[in-house]
Amino acid sequence: MNGAESLIRTLLASGVDTCFANPGTSEMHFVAALDKVEGMRCILGMAETVVTGCADGYARMAGKPAVTLMHCGPGLGNGIANIHNARRANAPMVNIVGDHATYHRPFDAPLTADTEGLARAVSHWVRTGNSSTRVGADGAAAVQAALTPPGQIATLILPADTAWNEGGEVAAPMPVPARPAVAPETLSAIARALRSGEPAMLVLSGQALSEAGLAAAQRVAHASGAKLRAPTQIPRMARGRGRPPVDRIPYVVDSALKVLAGTRHVIVVGAKPPTAFFAYPGKPSLTSPADAVTHVLARPEQDAVAALEWLADELGAPKRVPLPDTGNRLELVRGPFEPEAFAKTLAGLLPENCIVVEDAVTSGRALFAPTFDAAPHDWLQITGGAIGHGFPCASGAALASPGRKVVCLQADGAGMYTLQSLWTQAREKLDVVNVVFANRIYKILHGELLAVGAQPGRVSNELFDLARPTLDWIKLADGMGVEATRVETLEGFADAFKAASGRRGPFLIEFRIA
Amino acid sequence: MNGAESLIRTLLASGVDTCFANPGTSEMHFVAALDKVEGMRCILGMAETVVTGCADGYARMAGKPAVTLMHCGPGLGNGIANIHNARRANAPMVNIVGDHATYHRPFDAPLTADTEGLARAVSHWVRTGNSSTRVGADGAAAVQAALTPPGQIATLILPADTAWNEGGEVAAPMPVPARPAVAPETLSAIARALRSGEPAMLVLSGQALSEAGLAAAQRVAHASGAKLRAPTQIPRMARGRGRPPVDRIPYVVDSALKVLAGTRHVIVVGAKPPTAFFAYPGKPSLTSPADAVTHVLARPEQDAVAALEWLADELGAPKRVPLPDTGNRLELVRGPFEPEAFAKTLAGLLPENCIVVEDAVTSGRALFAPTFDAAPHDWLQITGGAIGHGFPCASGAALASPGRKVVCLQADGAGMYTLQSLWTQAREKLDVVNVVFANRIYKILHGELLAVGAQPGRVSNELFDLARPTLDWIKLADGMGVEATRVETLEGFADAFKAASGRRGPFLIEFRIA
C-alpha cells in the first residue's frame, strides 16, 4: 500500500468521508488511490476558493471535517480566503495540499512555492508528511487537530513521493479531546455579578448559539434580567419560531456602542469581547463601555452549554421560560427592494428546517431580526469578512444536509469572487435557492468611505461601481447549468422563491435592486 | 498631507501610474487620496487574482510595475496565484496591501490575518509601513525593489492609520540598480567551450528572448553551431517573421530528455538549468544529460544581451546572419480542432504586432513552433504553473499596449479560475480576442495520471471531467458584457477570428472541441 492509500484509509477510519477537491499533478497518486478505496465522496470545485468554502459549510452543518485536496503553493493560495472564514467560524477542516517530491524541491521547478509558509499563515496545525510509512499517522493527527474544540484548521502537506512510496500504514483514529469544563469559581463569580442587579449582557457564540445553548441562555436572561446578544458574525445559530430571538451586535460601530451602552457586565460565552470590525479615526476598537467588566463564562473551546445550564439552575430559573415577543408580523410586502420589507417577506417564505447562508453584505444587515419568527431554521453567516463565502458555503451545507433546503443570500459583488460554485451546485444537483442582491455597487465601500471621513470622487466611484457593464446573473448561472430568473419587486420575489422552494435542485433568483 | 496621499504622489514620482485594485475598508483612505491626486489610472478587478494577473501582464509589456491595491489577509490570499506567476516571470510588481490600524490589530477583529506571513511567502521584498511620515519613502523603496533586475515582487503593507495619519512626505524616486555585467572570465570560458566543437545548447530566457537578445544568440549559434532553446515556460519572447525561431524545451519529461540528449555544454542565459516541471517516479529532475556541463552565461539579473553580443563578436560571427528555415507553410486548415492544424491556421491569422498570451495547457503545447512564421508579435506565457493566468494577463497586457491587438489563448478549465477578468475587459474596452479551448476536461491531469503510472477510474474521471454540466462560454462572456461566438471547425474559427480582429474591443471565441 502506498502512502496515499494509507492516508485515505486513515481518513475514512477517522470518520472523514467527504473530499472537496481541485487537484494537480503532485496530487495524482492521491487521486489514483481514491480510485482504489471505496467510501470517499469526491466533489470537484472549479477554483480552490470553492473547495474551501464548501468544506466550511459542510463542517458547520456536519459537525465534522471534510478533507480538501489542493495543489501545491498557488492552489492553496486560491483557497486561503475561505479557510480564513472557516477559521473564524471554528469550523473543523483537514486540508491535504500536495507538493513536489521531496528530492525535486531543491531544483526550484516553476510551481515550487512556500507551501508551508502559506499553510502556517492560515492554519492552527501544519505538518509536512515526509514519510510514506508515517503519513497515515499524520492523517489521524490532522483529524484530531481539526476536531480539537472549538474546531481547527489542520493542513497536511503531502509531497508526491510520500504519496507514491510504498510502506503505507493505516492509522487508528486518535482521541478527540472533550470540551474543557468551566471552573466552578468562574461560574460562581458570574452568578454573583448577575445577582448584583447591575445591567448585564451575555454575548453568545459557537456552542452557545445551538438550540440547547440558546435555551439555557434564555433561562439565565429570564432569571437575571441580563440581555442576550450574538456577535456581529455568527458561525451557526438555531433560529425561528420557538427559539430565543437573540439579535446580533450591529456592524456599524456607533450602533454597536448604543447597543452596549450602560452595560456593566459583559459576559462572553464562546465569543470574544465585542470588537469593531474595522478601526475608524476617533472611534474605539472595543465596543463595550469603558467602565464595563468583561467576564469570560466560556472560552470558545469550553463547554458553554453546560456552563449556561449550571448558571440557569444556580440562578433558580425554571426549566422552561417564555420567549420574548419579537413584535414581528409575518407579511408579504409589495414593491421594490427595501431591506426590512425584504426580510419580512422572506420570513414568511423560509421553508421548515431550512438552512440560511448569508453573505449579503449591505443588503443583509436588516435581515436578521425580522426573520426571528420564520419557520425553524439554521442561520450560517460569513464570519471572517472574506467576501464570496455564500455560494460555496451554501453548497457545502447542502452536501452535509440531504433533505434540507438551503437558502443562500448573496451580495452581487461578493458573489463574483466565487461564482464558480454554481457549477458545483449544478453538477451535484444541490438543493440550494440562491438569491443574488444585484445592487451593482460595492455599496459597503461607499458607506465605509464616508465612515472614515472622506467623500466619494472620480476614482472611488470608479472602484465601487459594478454597473458598467451590468452583470447578467441569469446568463452567468445558466452558463454553469443553474436555472435562474430575475425579479424586481418583492411580490415577484415571493412568487419566484415559492416556485424554487417547491422543486429540488439549484436555482438562482437575481433580485435587481433599483 | 496624509500618509496615503504621500504614498500615491511618491508612486507617481517613481513612474508608477497604473493601479489594479480591489480595495476594502482598510484601504479607504488610499482610495480617498486617489480622488485627490491626478494621474493614477485605476482599474477594478472583481477578484484579486484578476488584479495580480493584470499587473503581471502589464509589467511584462510596460517593462515597469503597476501597483496593485488589495485588502488585508484574505484579499492578498486571493491574489497569490498570479503573484506567483509574475514572480516566475521576473515581472516587477508593487503590491499595496491594506491592514488594520496598528492599534486595532491586537484586538483580533474578524479580518485580522497573518498578512505579513502571506506576503513573505510570495514576495522578494516585504515591508509594513508603520509611520505616515515614512510611508512615502517606503513606497519609493518598494518601486526600487520591484525594478531591481531581473524584476521583483515588492509588497508594502499599509495599516489604515499609516494611511490616514497626517505628516506624509513625498519621497524622491530611488535609483534602480543597473544589470550587472558578466565577468570577462565567464565569457572567455564559455567562448572556449563553444569553440571546442562539442555539442552545445544555449537555453535563453528573460532579456535573452528580446529582439536584441535573440539576434545576438542567433549570431552565436551561426558561428559555433550551438543549438538554441527557450525553457518550457517563457515570460515574453519576440517572435514572428524575421526573428530567430527558437523553440521551447518540451513540457513532457521524456521529450525534454530527447531534445537535450547528446548535449555536452548547456549554456543558460537568463534561464535556469533545464528542470522537469514535476517529479515522476523513476524519472530525473534535471533534464540535461548526466555528463553535460552547465555553464551560466548570464544569471537572470545580469546583462544577457551584452553578454551574447560580446560572445558573438568573440566568435567572429557576422553582424547579420541568416535565419534557419522553419519549414512552416502558412495555410488555413479545415476540419475539427487538432492542435497542429489549429496552430497552422492561427499562424496565418495573427495580426501584425499583436501580443499572444498563452495559458492553453494541453491545447497549447503544439502552438509554438508552427507559429514562428506568423506576422511579428510578442508571446507571453504562463510561467509559474498557477493556471487561470491567460484572461487577466491578456487584460493587463492590453492596458499596457494601446493600439496592439491581444490574442488570449485560454484553456477552459484554467479559464474558470479567473473568468471575472472578462468583466474588466468589457469595462475597459480592452482590445482582446479571447480563444477558449473548450475540451471540457482537465485533460492535462488525465495525462499526468498516466504519467505517474496509474489508470483513470471512477473518482479520477469524476475529478477531471468538466462536461457535467457543460459550460456555456457564450453565456458566461455575455453575462459579463463580452460578445462571444462558438465555433466547432477550423474554418469556422478562421472566420470568427478575422471578424473579431477587424474590430476593437473584447471578444470571445469558444472553440468547442469534439
Side-chain angles (χ1 to χ4, degrees), chain A residues 22 35 104 108 272 285 417 427 460 462, chain B residues 22 35 104 108 272 417 427 459-460 462:
Chain A
N22 187 280
D35 276 331
H104 194 64
D108 195 38
K272 302 170 85 171
S285 288
Y417 288 76
R427 183 180 183 86
S460 47
E462 180 79 11
Chain B
N22 188 281
D35 275 331
H104 193 64
D108 195 38
K272 302 170 85 171
Y417 288 76
R427 183 179 181 87
V459 175
S460 47
E462 180 79 13

mmCIF file with all atom_site columns, all heavy atoms in Angstrom, chain A residues 22 35 104 108 272 285 417 427 460 462, chain B residues 22 35 104 108 272 417 427 459-460 462:
data_model
loop_
_atom_site.group_PDB
_atom_site.id
_atom_site.type_symbol
_atom_site.label_atom_id
_atom_site.label_alt_id
_atom_site.label_comp_id
_atom_site.label_asym_id
_atom_site.label_entity_id
_atom_site.label_seq_id
_atom_site.pdbx_PDB_ins_code
_atom_site.Cartn_x
_atom_site.Cartn_y
_atom_site.Cartn_z
_atom_site.occupancy
_atom_site.B_iso_or_equiv
_atom_site.pdbx_formal_charge
_atom_site.auth_seq_id
_atom_site.auth_comp_id
_atom_site.auth_asym_id
_atom_site.auth_atom_id
_atom_site.pdbx_PDB_model_num
ATOM 1   N N   . ASN A 1 22  ? -9.630  20.049 -5.854  1.00 0.00 ? 22  ASN A N   1
ATOM 2   C CA  . ASN A 1 22  ? -9.171  20.648 -7.103  1.00 0.00 ? 22  ASN A CA  1
ATOM 3   C C   . ASN A 1 22  ? -7.696  20.282 -7.216  1.00 0.00 ? 22  ASN A C   1
ATOM 4   O O   . ASN A 1 22  ? -6.812  21.062 -6.863  1.00 0.00 ? 22  ASN A O   1
ATOM 5   C CB  . ASN A 1 22  ? -9.374  22.168 -7.113  1.00 0.00 ? 22  ASN A CB  1
ATOM 6   C CG  . ASN A 1 22  ? -9.063  22.749 -8.483  1.00 0.00 ? 22  ASN A CG  1
ATOM 7   O OD1 . ASN A 1 22  ? -7.906  22.955 -8.825  1.00 0.00 ? 22  ASN A OD1 1
ATOM 8   N ND2 . ASN A 1 22  ? -10.087 22.998 -9.278  1.00 0.00 ? 22  ASN A ND2 1
ATOM 9   N N   . ASP A 1 35  ? -9.333  6.125  -6.370  1.00 0.00 ? 35  ASP A N   1
ATOM 10  C CA  . ASP A 1 35  ? -9.973  5.158  -7.270  1.00 0.00 ? 35  ASP A CA  1
ATOM 11  C C   . ASP A 1 35  ? -9.967  3.742  -6.685  1.00 0.00 ? 35  ASP A C   1
ATOM 12  O O   . ASP A 1 35  ? -10.793 2.910  -7.054  1.00 0.00 ? 35  ASP A O   1
ATOM 13  C CB  . ASP A 1 35  ? -9.238  5.139  -8.621  1.00 0.00 ? 35  ASP A CB  1
ATOM 14  C CG  . ASP A 1 35  ? -9.729  6.242  -9.555  1.00 0.00 ? 35  ASP A CG  1
ATOM 15  O OD1 . ASP A 1 35  ? -10.907 6.629  -9.442  1.00 0.00 ? 35  ASP A OD1 1
ATOM 16  O OD2 . ASP A 1 35  ? -8.936  6.708  -10.389 1.00 0.00 ? 35  ASP A OD2 1
ATOM 17  N N   . HIS A 1 104 ? 12.701  16.638 -5.403  1.00 0.00 ? 104 HIS A N   1
ATOM 18  C CA  . HIS A 1 104 ? 12.532  17.544 -6.540  1.00 0.00 ? 104 HIS A CA  1
ATOM 19  C C   . HIS A 1 104 ? 12.516  19.011 -6.099  1.00 0.00 ? 104 HIS A C   1
ATOM 20  O O   . HIS A 1 104 ? 12.865  19.903 -6.881  1.00 0.00 ? 104 HIS A O   1
ATOM 21  C CB  . HIS A 1 104 ? 11.220  17.204 -7.267  1.00 0.00 ? 104 HIS A CB  1
ATOM 22  C CG  . HIS A 1 104 ? 11.066  17.826 -8.627  1.00 0.00 ? 104 HIS A CG  1
ATOM 23  N ND1 . HIS A 1 104 ? 11.900  17.535 -9.679  1.00 0.00 ? 104 HIS A ND1 1
ATOM 24  C CD2 . HIS A 1 104 ? 10.173  18.731 -9.114  1.00 0.00 ? 104 HIS A CD2 1
ATOM 25  C CE1 . HIS A 1 104 ? 11.525  18.231 -10.762 1.00 0.00 ? 104 HIS A CE1 1
ATOM 26  N NE2 . HIS A 1 104 ? 10.482  18.960 -10.436 1.00 0.00 ? 104 HIS A NE2 1
ATOM 27  N N   . ASP A 1 108 ? 13.791  23.836 -7.585  1.00 0.00 ? 108 ASP A N   1
ATOM 28  C CA  . ASP A 1 108 ? 13.026  25.071 -7.741  1.00 0.00 ? 108 ASP A CA  1
ATOM 29  C C   . ASP A 1 108 ? 12.293  25.119 -9.086  1.00 0.00 ? 108 ASP A C   1
ATOM 30  O O   . ASP A 1 108 ? 12.375  26.107 -9.822  1.00 0.00 ? 108 ASP A O   1
ATOM 31  C CB  . ASP A 1 108 ? 13.981  26.277 -7.602  1.00 0.00 ? 108 ASP A CB  1
ATOM 32  C CG  . ASP A 1 108 ? 13.217  27.581 -7.385  1.00 0.00 ? 108 ASP A CG  1
ATOM 33  O OD1 . ASP A 1 108 ? 12.202  27.553 -6.672  1.00 0.00 ? 108 ASP A OD1 1
ATOM 34  O OD2 . ASP A 1 108 ? 13.635  28.609 -7.949  1.00 0.00 ? 108 ASP A OD2 1
ATOM 35  N N   . LYS A 1 272 ? -15.842 36.306 21.636  1.00 0.00 ? 272 LYS A N   1
ATOM 36  C CA  . LYS A 1 272 ? -14.767 37.193 22.032  1.00 0.00 ? 272 LYS A CA  1
ATOM 37  C C   . LYS A 1 272 ? -15.372 38.512 22.499  1.00 0.00 ? 272 LYS A C   1
ATOM 38  O O   . LYS A 1 272 ? -16.519 38.827 22.179  1.00 0.00 ? 272 LYS A O   1
ATOM 39  C CB  . LYS A 1 272 ? -13.843 37.434 20.844  1.00 0.00 ? 272 LYS A CB  1
ATOM 40  C CG  . LYS A 1 272 ? -13.278 36.137 20.308  1.00 0.00 ? 272 LYS A CG  1
ATOM 41  C CD  . LYS A 1 272 ? -12.568 36.340 18.998  1.00 0.00 ? 272 LYS A CD  1
ATOM 42  C CE  . LYS A 1 272 ? -11.145 36.761 19.267  1.00 0.00 ? 272 LYS A CE  1
ATOM 43  N NZ  . LYS A 1 272 ? -10.363 36.761 18.003  1.00 0.00 ? 272 LYS A NZ  1
ATOM 44  N N   . SER A 1 285 ? -11.837 50.705 19.426  1.00 0.00 ? 285 SER A N   1
ATOM 45  C CA  . SER A 1 285 ? -11.737 49.349 18.877  1.00 0.00 ? 285 SER A CA  1
ATOM 46  C C   . SER A 1 285 ? -12.678 48.401 19.609  1.00 0.00 ? 285 SER A C   1
ATOM 47  O O   . SER A 1 285 ? -13.283 47.521 19.004  1.00 0.00 ? 285 SER A O   1
ATOM 48  C CB  . SER A 1 285 ? -10.303 48.832 18.992  1.00 0.00 ? 285 SER A CB  1
ATOM 49  O OG  . SER A 1 285 ? -9.461  49.481 18.068  1.00 0.00 ? 285 SER A OG  1
ATOM 50  N N   . TYR A 1 417 ? -16.722 36.705 -6.529  1.00 0.00 ? 417 TYR A N   1
ATOM 51  C CA  . TYR A 1 417 ? -15.451 36.085 -6.149  1.00 0.00 ? 417 TYR A CA  1
ATOM 52  C C   . TYR A 1 417 ? -15.495 34.569 -6.321  1.00 0.00 ? 417 TYR A C   1
ATOM 53  O O   . TYR A 1 417 ? -14.468 33.938 -6.520  1.00 0.00 ? 417 TYR A O   1
ATOM 54  C CB  . TYR A 1 417 ? -15.104 36.387 -4.682  1.00 0.00 ? 417 TYR A CB  1
ATOM 55  C CG  . TYR A 1 417 ? -14.678 37.803 -4.409  1.00 0.00 ? 417 TYR A CG  1
ATOM 56  C CD1 . TYR A 1 417 ? -15.602 38.836 -4.361  1.00 0.00 ? 417 TYR A CD1 1
ATOM 57  C CD2 . TYR A 1 417 ? -13.344 38.117 -4.182  1.00 0.00 ? 417 TYR A CD2 1
ATOM 58  C CE1 . TYR A 1 417 ? -15.213 40.136 -4.107  1.00 0.00 ? 417 TYR A CE1 1
ATOM 59  C CE2 . TYR A 1 417 ? -12.945 39.413 -3.917  1.00 0.00 ? 417 TYR A CE2 1
ATOM 60  C CZ  . TYR A 1 417 ? -13.889 40.418 -3.879  1.00 0.00 ? 417 TYR A CZ  1
ATOM 61  O OH  . TYR A 1 417 ? -13.498 41.710 -3.624  1.00 0.00 ? 417 TYR A OH  1
ATOM 62  N N   . ARG A 1 427 ? -23.729 20.430 -10.881 1.00 0.00 ? 427 ARG A N   1
ATOM 63  C CA  . ARG A 1 427 ? -23.166 19.095 -11.042 1.00 0.00 ? 427 ARG A CA  1
ATOM 64  C C   . ARG A 1 427 ? -23.695 18.132 -9.983  1.00 0.00 ? 427 ARG A C   1
ATOM 65  O O   . ARG A 1 427 ? -24.038 16.992 -10.282 1.00 0.00 ? 427 ARG A O   1
ATOM 66  C CB  . ARG A 1 427 ? -21.646 19.196 -10.931 1.00 0.00 ? 427 ARG A CB  1
ATOM 67  C CG  . ARG A 1 427 ? -20.869 17.921 -11.140 1.00 0.00 ? 427 ARG A CG  1
ATOM 68  C CD  . ARG A 1 427 ? -19.399 18.280 -10.979 1.00 0.00 ? 427 ARG A CD  1
ATOM 69  N NE  . ARG A 1 427 ? -18.473 17.211 -11.204 1.00 0.00 ? 427 ARG A NE  1
ATOM 70  C CZ  . ARG A 1 427 ? -17.973 16.859 -12.386 1.00 0.00 ? 427 ARG A CZ  1
ATOM 71  N NH1 . ARG A 1 427 ? -18.369 17.461 -13.474 1.00 0.00 ? 427 ARG A NH1 1
ATOM 72  N NH2 . ARG A 1 427 ? -17.079 15.892 -12.477 1.00 0.00 ? 427 ARG A NH2 1
ATOM 73  N N   . SER A 1 460 ? -12.920 56.827 -6.610  1.00 0.00 ? 460 SER A N   1
ATOM 74  C CA  . SER A 1 460 ? -13.641 55.923 -5.717  1.00 0.00 ? 460 SER A CA  1
ATOM 75  C C   . SER A 1 460 ? -14.947 55.485 -6.352  1.00 0.00 ? 460 SER A C   1
ATOM 76  O O   . SER A 1 460 ? -15.332 54.320 -6.249  1.00 0.00 ? 460 SER A O   1
ATOM 77  C CB  . SER A 1 460 ? -13.861 56.555 -4.345  1.00 0.00 ? 460 SER A CB  1
ATOM 78  O OG  . SER A 1 460 ? -14.330 57.868 -4.464  1.00 0.00 ? 460 SER A OG  1
ATOM 79  N N   . GLU A 1 462 ? -15.395 55.033 -9.434  1.00 0.00 ? 462 GLU A N   1
ATOM 80  C CA  . GLU A 1 462 ? -14.964 54.048 -10.421 1.00 0.00 ? 462 GLU A CA  1
ATOM 81  C C   . GLU A 1 462 ? -14.694 52.698 -9.750  1.00 0.00 ? 462 GLU A C   1
ATOM 82  O O   . GLU A 1 462 ? -15.028 51.638 -10.294 1.00 0.00 ? 462 GLU A O   1
ATOM 83  C CB  . GLU A 1 462 ? -13.678 54.561 -11.096 1.00 0.00 ? 462 GLU A CB  1
ATOM 84  C CG  . GLU A 1 462 ? -13.082 53.663 -12.151 1.00 0.00 ? 462 GLU A CG  1
ATOM 85  C CD  . GLU A 1 462 ? -13.814 53.759 -13.485 1.00 0.00 ? 462 GLU A CD  1
ATOM 86  O OE1 . GLU A 1 462 ? -14.635 54.669 -13.647 1.00 0.00 ? 462 GLU A OE1 1
ATOM 87  O OE2 . GLU A 1 462 ? -13.566 52.892 -14.335 1.00 0.00 ? 462 GLU A OE2 1
ATOM 88  N N   . ASN B 1 22  ? -8.686  46.079 -5.941  1.00 0.00 ? 22  ASN B N   1
ATOM 89  C CA  . ASN B 1 22  ? -9.894  45.512 -5.348  1.00 0.00 ? 22  ASN B CA  1
ATOM 90  C C   . ASN B 1 22  ? -9.822  45.831 -3.857  1.00 0.00 ? 22  ASN B C   1
ATOM 91  O O   . ASN B 1 22  ? -9.390  45.012 -3.059  1.00 0.00 ? 22  ASN B O   1
ATOM 92  C CB  . ASN B 1 22  ? -9.983  44.002 -5.583  1.00 0.00 ? 22  ASN B CB  1
ATOM 93  C CG  . ASN B 1 22  ? -11.324 43.452 -5.127  1.00 0.00 ? 22  ASN B CG  1
ATOM 94  O OD1 . ASN B 1 22  ? -11.538 43.239 -3.943  1.00 0.00 ? 22  ASN B OD1 1
ATOM 95  N ND2 . ASN B 1 22  ? -12.243 43.264 -6.049  1.00 0.00 ? 22  ASN B ND2 1
ATOM 96  N N   . ASP B 1 35  ? -8.625  60.007 -5.117  1.00 0.00 ? 35  ASP B N   1
ATOM 97  C CA  . ASP B 1 35  ? -9.567  61.015 -5.608  1.00 0.00 ? 35  ASP B CA  1
ATOM 98  C C   . ASP B 1 35  ? -8.933  62.408 -5.630  1.00 0.00 ? 35  ASP B C   1
ATOM 99  O O   . ASP B 1 35  ? -9.370  63.283 -6.371  1.00 0.00 ? 35  ASP B O   1
ATOM 100 C CB  . ASP B 1 35  ? -10.821 61.049 -4.716  1.00 0.00 ? 35  ASP B CB  1
ATOM 101 C CG  . ASP B 1 35  ? -11.847 60.001 -5.127  1.00 0.00 ? 35  ASP B CG  1
ATOM 102 O OD1 . ASP B 1 35  ? -11.899 59.655 -6.313  1.00 0.00 ? 35  ASP B OD1 1
ATOM 103 O OD2 . ASP B 1 35  ? -12.586 59.533 -4.247  1.00 0.00 ? 35  ASP B OD2 1
ATOM 104 N N   . HIS B 1 104 ? -5.389  48.632 16.268  1.00 0.00 ? 104 HIS B N   1
ATOM 105 C CA  . HIS B 1 104 ? -6.585  47.775 16.212  1.00 0.00 ? 104 HIS B CA  1
ATOM 106 C C   . HIS B 1 104 ? -6.197  46.291 16.099  1.00 0.00 ? 104 HIS B C   1
ATOM 107 O O   . HIS B 1 104 ? -6.974  45.419 16.496  1.00 0.00 ? 104 HIS B O   1
ATOM 108 C CB  . HIS B 1 104 ? -7.443  48.195 15.009  1.00 0.00 ? 104 HIS B CB  1
ATOM 109 C CG  . HIS B 1 104 ? -8.836  47.630 14.998  1.00 0.00 ? 104 HIS B CG  1
ATOM 110 N ND1 . HIS B 1 104 ? -9.768  47.933 15.959  1.00 0.00 ? 104 HIS B ND1 1
ATOM 111 C CD2 . HIS B 1 104 ? -9.466  46.784 14.143  1.00 0.00 ? 104 HIS B CD2 1
ATOM 112 C CE1 . HIS B 1 104 ? -10.903 47.292 15.701  1.00 0.00 ? 104 HIS B CE1 1
ATOM 113 N NE2 . HIS B 1 104 ? -10.745 46.588 14.601  1.00 0.00 ? 104 HIS B NE2 1
ATOM 114 N N   . ASP B 1 108 ? -7.704  41.502 17.397  1.00 0.00 ? 108 ASP B N   1
ATOM 115 C CA  . ASP B 1 108 ? -8.005  40.289 16.611  1.00 0.00 ? 108 ASP B CA  1
ATOM 116 C C   . ASP B 1 108 ? -9.426  40.316 16.047  1.00 0.00 ? 108 ASP B C   1
ATOM 117 O O   . ASP B 1 108 ? -10.177 39.343 16.157  1.00 0.00 ? 108 ASP B O   1
ATOM 118 C CB  . ASP B 1 108 ? -7.793  39.045 17.500  1.00 0.00 ? 108 ASP B CB  1
ATOM 119 C CG  . ASP B 1 108 ? -7.721  37.767 16.667  1.00 0.00 ? 108 ASP B CG  1
ATOM 120 O OD1 . ASP B 1 108 ? -7.144  37.803 15.562  1.00 0.00 ? 108 ASP B OD1 1
ATOM 121 O OD2 . ASP B 1 108 ? -8.260  36.732 17.116  1.00 0.00 ? 108 ASP B OD2 1
ATOM 122 N N   . LYS B 1 272 ? 17.220  29.214 -16.006 1.00 0.00 ? 272 LYS B N   1
ATOM 123 C CA  . LYS B 1 272 ? 17.717  28.259 -15.008 1.00 0.00 ? 272 LYS B CA  1
ATOM 124 C C   . LYS B 1 272 ? 18.054  26.952 -15.705 1.00 0.00 ? 272 LYS B C   1
ATOM 125 O O   . LYS B 1 272 ? 17.574  26.696 -16.815 1.00 0.00 ? 272 LYS B O   1
ATOM 126 C CB  . LYS B 1 272 ? 16.635  28.022 -13.958 1.00 0.00 ? 272 LYS B CB  1
ATOM 127 C CG  . LYS B 1 272 ? 16.207  29.295 -13.282 1.00 0.00 ? 272 LYS B CG  1
ATOM 128 C CD  . LYS B 1 272 ? 14.983  29.095 -12.440 1.00 0.00 ? 272 LYS B CD  1
ATOM 129 C CE  . LYS B 1 272 ? 15.413  28.594 -11.076 1.00 0.00 ? 272 LYS B CE  1
ATOM 130 N NZ  . LYS B 1 272 ? 14.272  28.592 -10.153 1.00 0.00 ? 272 LYS B NZ  1
ATOM 131 N N   . TYR B 1 417 ? -10.838 29.721 -13.447 1.00 0.00 ? 417 TYR B N   1
ATOM 132 C CA  . TYR B 1 417 ? -10.289 30.286 -12.205 1.00 0.00 ? 417 TYR B CA  1
ATOM 133 C C   . TYR B 1 417 ? -10.406 31.814 -12.185 1.00 0.00 ? 417 TYR B C   1
ATOM 134 O O   . TYR B 1 417 ? -10.440 32.415 -11.118 1.00 0.00 ? 417 TYR B O   1
ATOM 135 C CB  . TYR B 1 417 ? -8.810  29.923 -12.052 1.00 0.00 ? 417 TYR B CB  1
ATOM 136 C CG  . TYR B 1 417 ? -8.545  28.484 -11.721 1.00 0.00 ? 417 TYR B CG  1
ATOM 137 C CD1 . TYR B 1 417 ? -8.637  27.485 -12.672 1.00 0.00 ? 417 TYR B CD1 1
ATOM 138 C CD2 . TYR B 1 417 ? -8.183  28.110 -10.424 1.00 0.00 ? 417 TYR B CD2 1
ATOM 139 C CE1 . TYR B 1 417 ? -8.381  26.165 -12.363 1.00 0.00 ? 417 TYR B CE1 1
ATOM 140 C CE2 . TYR B 1 417 ? -7.921  26.797 -10.103 1.00 0.00 ? 417 TYR B CE2 1
ATOM 141 C CZ  . TYR B 1 417 ? -8.028  25.816 -11.074 1.00 0.00 ? 417 TYR B CZ  1
ATOM 142 O OH  . TYR B 1 417 ? -7.778  24.520 -10.756 1.00 0.00 ? 417 TYR B OH  1
ATOM 143 N N   . ARG B 1 427 ? -15.397 46.381 -19.313 1.00 0.00 ? 427 ARG B N   1
ATOM 144 C CA  . ARG B 1 427 ? -15.444 47.704 -18.688 1.00 0.00 ? 427 ARG B CA  1
ATOM 145 C C   . ARG B 1 427 ? -14.424 48.655 -19.309 1.00 0.00 ? 427 ARG B C   1
ATOM 146 O O   . ARG B 1 427 ? -14.712 49.812 -19.568 1.00 0.00 ? 427 ARG B O   1
ATOM 147 C CB  . ARG B 1 427 ? -15.142 47.537 -17.205 1.00 0.00 ? 427 ARG B CB  1
ATOM 148 C CG  . ARG B 1 427 ? -15.216 48.792 -16.368 1.00 0.00 ? 427 ARG B CG  1
ATOM 149 C CD  . ARG B 1 427 ? -14.894 48.378 -14.931 1.00 0.00 ? 427 ARG B CD  1
ATOM 150 N NE  . ARG B 1 427 ? -14.939 49.427 -13.951 1.00 0.00 ? 427 ARG B NE  1
ATOM 151 C CZ  . ARG B 1 427 ? -16.045 49.802 -13.299 1.00 0.00 ? 427 ARG B CZ  1
ATOM 152 N NH1 . ARG B 1 427 ? -17.186 49.243 -13.563 1.00 0.00 ? 427 ARG B NH1 1
ATOM 153 N NH2 . ARG B 1 427 ? -15.982 50.734 -12.366 1.00 0.00 ? 427 ARG B NH2 1
ATOM 154 N N   . VAL B 1 459 ? -13.280 7.761  -9.519  1.00 0.00 ? 459 VAL B N   1
ATOM 155 C CA  . VAL B 1 459 ? -13.085 9.064  -8.873  1.00 0.00 ? 459 VAL B CA  1
ATOM 156 C C   . VAL B 1 459 ? -12.277 10.003 -9.750  1.00 0.00 ? 459 VAL B C   1
ATOM 157 O O   . VAL B 1 459 ? -12.619 11.182 -9.907  1.00 0.00 ? 459 VAL B O   1
ATOM 158 C CB  . VAL B 1 459 ? -12.411 8.900  -7.494  1.00 0.00 ? 459 VAL B CB  1
ATOM 159 C CG1 . VAL B 1 459 ? -12.093 10.266 -6.897  1.00 0.00 ? 459 VAL B CG1 1
ATOM 160 C CG2 . VAL B 1 459 ? -13.308 8.108  -6.558  1.00 0.00 ? 459 VAL B CG2 1
ATOM 161 N N   . SER B 1 460 ? -11.202 9.494  -10.345 1.00 0.00 ? 460 SER B N   1
ATOM 162 C CA  . SER B 1 460 ? -10.372 10.398 -11.147 1.00 0.00 ? 460 SER B CA  1
ATOM 163 C C   . SER B 1 460 ? -11.151 10.903 -12.347 1.00 0.00 ? 460 SER B C   1
ATOM 164 O O   . SER B 1 460 ? -11.049 12.086 -12.701 1.00 0.00 ? 460 SER B O   1
ATOM 165 C CB  . SER B 1 460 ? -9.067  9.727  -11.556 1.00 0.00 ? 460 SER B CB  1
ATOM 166 O OG  . SER B 1 460 ? -9.291  8.438  -12.052 1.00 0.00 ? 460 SER B OG  1
ATOM 167 N N   . GLU B 1 462 ? -14.234 11.473 -12.391 1.00 0.00 ? 462 GLU B N   1
ATOM 168 C CA  . GLU B 1 462 ? -15.126 12.479 -11.811 1.00 0.00 ? 462 GLU B CA  1
ATOM 169 C C   . GLU B 1 462 ? -14.380 13.801 -11.583 1.00 0.00 ? 462 GLU B C   1
ATOM 170 O O   . GLU B 1 462 ? -14.922 14.879 -11.820 1.00 0.00 ? 462 GLU B O   1
ATOM 171 C CB  . GLU B 1 462 ? -15.664 11.939 -10.474 1.00 0.00 ? 462 GLU B CB  1
ATOM 172 C CG  . GLU B 1 462 ? -16.596 12.842 -9.716  1.00 0.00 ? 462 GLU B CG  1
ATOM 173 C CD  . GLU B 1 462 ? -18.018 12.831 -10.280 1.00 0.00 ? 462 GLU B CD  1
ATOM 174 O OE1 . GLU B 1 462 ? -18.321 11.948 -11.092 1.00 0.00 ? 462 GLU B OE1 1
ATOM 175 O OE2 . GLU B 1 462 ? -18.788 13.729 -9.907  1.00 0.00 ? 462 GLU B OE2 1
#
